[in-house]
């Protein structure tokens, strides 16, 4: 797909004597195709990561933690989950840290055993 529409120039007639185009084509269809391909690859990466988490959800035995994990996988914020469960958003963050610790203690692919959560601000 990288060659589609790239560097097209006339080879015969009067157009052959004109200056050759520089850079890449400004074909909007080609650019949209490239943009979508990148987006689909990124979505596939996210789906793979979520699948690994879903495959290891059985390791979470605490009911609160499993509820927090469910809502996090649904894309909800700490504050939304806190309001829904009647807890503070900082408590939700601690529950998420416990979930991550439990998943890191197992043999999850692409997660080093010595991974520790860093103190950072989350949304």
């Amino acid at each position: 797909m990288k060659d589609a529409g790239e560097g097209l120039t006339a080879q015969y007639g009067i157009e052959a004597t004109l200056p050759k185009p520089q850079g890449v084509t400004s074909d909007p269809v080609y650019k949209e195709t490239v943009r979508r391909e990148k987006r689909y690859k990124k979505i596939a990466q996210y789906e793979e990561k979520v699948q690994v988490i879903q495959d290891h959800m059985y390791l979470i035995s605490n009911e609160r933690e499993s509820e927090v994990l469910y809502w996090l996988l649904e894309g909800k914020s700490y504050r939304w989950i806190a309001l829904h469960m009647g807890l503070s958003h900082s408590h939700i963050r601690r529950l998420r840290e416990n979930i991550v610790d439990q998943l890191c203690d197992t043999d999850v692919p692409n997660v080093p055993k010595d991974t520790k959560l860093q103190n950072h601000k989350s949304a």
Side-chain angles (χ1 to χ4, degrees):
M1 275 180 43
K2 291 182 179 179
D3 296 333
E6 293 270 346
L8 296 177
T9 59
Q11 295 178 357
Y12 306 106
I14 188 85
E15 292 86 12
T17 62
L18 296 175
K20 305 294 184 246
Q22 299 296 317
V24 295
T25 183
S26 62
D27 182 15
V29 175
Y30 173 73
K31 286 186 177 183
E32 180 66 14
T33 304
V34 170
R35 186 191 67 79
R36 286 185 184 187
E37 184 180 348
K38 287 180 185 177
R39 185 173 181 196
Y40 291 148
K41 284 181 182 178
K42 193 65 171 172
I43 289 172
Q45 289 174 347
Y46 288 142
E47 287 175 345
E48 184 179 320
K49 289 178 182 181
V50 169
Q51 187 62 44
V52 168
I53 292 171
Q54 288 177 340
D55 290 344
H56 292 85
M57 281 180 72
Y58 69 92
L59 297 170
I60 309 301
S61 58
N62 187 333
E63 192 173 320
R64 276 188 178 177
E65 290 175 352
S66 64
E67 183 75 10
V68 168
L69 179 58
Y70 171 78
W71 288 117
L72 287 172
L73 288 173
E74 289 293 319
K76 301 299 183 183
S77 68
Y78 292 150
R79 293 199 187 269
W80 188 94
I81 299 170
L83 287 172
H84 178 73
M85 295 180 69
L87 302 169
S88 70
H89 70 280
S90 59
H91 187 74
I92 299 297
R93 183 176 291 123
R94 282 193 300 271
L95 288 172
R96 188 215 27 114
E97 289 172 359
N98 290 338
I99 292 168
V100 171
D101 286 341
Q102 289 177 20
L103 292 177
C104 287
D105 289 342
T106 63
D107 186 25
V108 178
N110 300 324
V111 178
K113 294 267 187 214
D114 60 345
T115 301
K116 295 294 179 196
L117 292 177
Q118 299 173 352
N119 293 333
H120 65 282
K121 301 224 176 206
S122 297

